[in-house]
Amino acid sequence: MAASCHDVDPVPGKPTETGTSLLETATGAIQGFAPVNQIHQHLCAFHFFGDDMTRQVEAHHFCAHLNEDVRQCLIFDGPDAGARLIGVEYIVSEELFLTLPDDEKPLWHTHEFEVKGGVLFMPGVPGVVERRDLETVAKTYGKTIHFWQVDRGDALPLGLPQIMMALTREGQLRQDLAECVEKKFGVSFQKERENRAYMTGPAHGIHPLANAAGKGLKTSIREVDLPDPTTRARVFT
């Protein structure tokens, strides 16, 4: 299986040495990895950069529940060992999304079309099991930040982290990317679209401020003056 549908330059650096591997084996046997061990789910979907819908990325989410209303996901460019960690996504219920400040809501995207359109799926999971959870995902909102721009072939995570968005209607997903993923995982987006026709999105409808409120979003950076720590009031003298 190809690790990614993107043509990415190899990560620079020397091959992992035997000593490093032995050390990792030892620390792996001693230490605990409770946060990572909570991951229970692999979702495959597509993201596009908030300022450029033509820049689309195959995104493999490895997710854990914090509770019934919040999930957190590590995003890789592929499902195999050696895949690049390219971003993170937080997924919340509609109830929690509606409590967010209005200036925060545009940073979040909906999942209704991704799910009902068949393009968000769980690789290897039988459809009847997959659809039971996706009925819930269709009603949620997600906030995604990517650090590694694999779509342009970057060998390392260069540039500023960027807000990502999700597909919201037909005709947005690049056909070449869709066909690559369908072939790689042996799935049919059209068939799943038909199987999920009964599903519904957020109970209150898609919030008008979600999905960047229909506009483009791009992360930028600016210089600011650092406050002088010596001028801060002291609690103790």
Side-chain angles (χ1 to χ4, degrees):
M1 180 184 296
S4 173
C5 287
H6 303 286
D7 185 13
V8 186
D9 290 338
V11 176
K14 298 182 297 182
T16 303
E17 298 177 355
T18 301
T20 302
S21 297
L22 290 174
L23 180 61
E24 289 177 344
T25 300
T27 56
I30 297 169
Q31 294 182 302
F33 302 93
V36 177
N37 291 339
Q38 292 302 304
I39 291 174
H40 65 280
Q41 190 174 71
H42 172 199
L43 301 170
C44 181
F46 303 92
H47 294 151
F48 65 85
F49 284 79
D51 66 325
D52 187 351
M53 189 178 292
T54 67
R55 295 187 58 193
Q56 300 181 0
V57 179
E58 173 190 0
H60 291 267
H61 306 56
F62 291 84
C63 303
H65 274 91
L66 288 179
N67 55 47
E68 277 298 311
D69 291 283
V70 182
R71 307 183 196 198
Q72 54 186 9
C73 309
L74 299 175
I75 301 175
F76 293 82
D77 69 336
D80 303 326
R84 297 161 178 82
L85 175 63
I86 61 174
V88 296
E89 178 165 357
Y90 304 98
I91 299 174
V92 300
S93 64
E94 179 186 21
E95 290 75 15
L96 286 185
F97 173 81
L98 293 175
T99 68
L100 298 176
D102 282 352
D103 61 353
E104 170 70 18
K105 289 185 175 76
L107 303 178
W108 296 72
H109 59 262
T110 53
H111 294 124
E112 179 180 2
F113 174 78
E114 287 186 292
V115 173
K116 294 182 65 176
V119 298
L120 188 158
F121 64 99
M122 299 180 188
V125 176
V128 64
V129 177
E130 174 188 59
R131 288 191 287 274
R132 180 166 182 176
D133 185 64
L134 293 184
E135 291 170 2
T136 298
V137 176
K139 304 177 188 299
T140 62
Y141 290 81
K143 182 179 184 178
T144 303
I145 300 171
H146 279 203
F147 310 104
W148 200 325
Q149 302 186 50
V150 293
D151 67 301
R152 65 184 189 185
D154 288 0
L156 290 171
L158 307 177
L160 298 179
Q162 294 294 328
I163 290 289
M164 307 295 285
M165 290 292 155
L167 306 170
T168 57
R169 62 178 181 272
E170 291 286 351
Q172 291 179 334
L173 179 59
R174 280 180 19 222
Q175 190 62 29
D176 62 317
L177 191 55
E179 291 175 354
C180 176
V181 171
E182 285 183 302
K183 180 179 180 181
K184 182 165 59 172
F185 291 100
V187 297
S188 167
F189 295 156
Q190 176 59 41
K191 182 177 179 180
E192 273 309 302
R193 186 179 300 117
E194 296 169 359
N195 290 335
R196 302 175 190 179
Y198 71 93
M199 295 185 185
T200 58
H204 296 88
I206 293 175
H207 196 283
L209 292 179
N211 301 312
K215 302 176 182 178
L217 291 178
K218 184 174 184 177
T219 307
S220 61
I221 192 170
R222 63 185 178 90
E223 288 187 357
V224 298
D225 292 328
L226 291 176
D228 184 351
T230 63
T231 62
R232 295 183 179 178
R234 293 187 178 181
V235 177
F236 302 103
T237 58

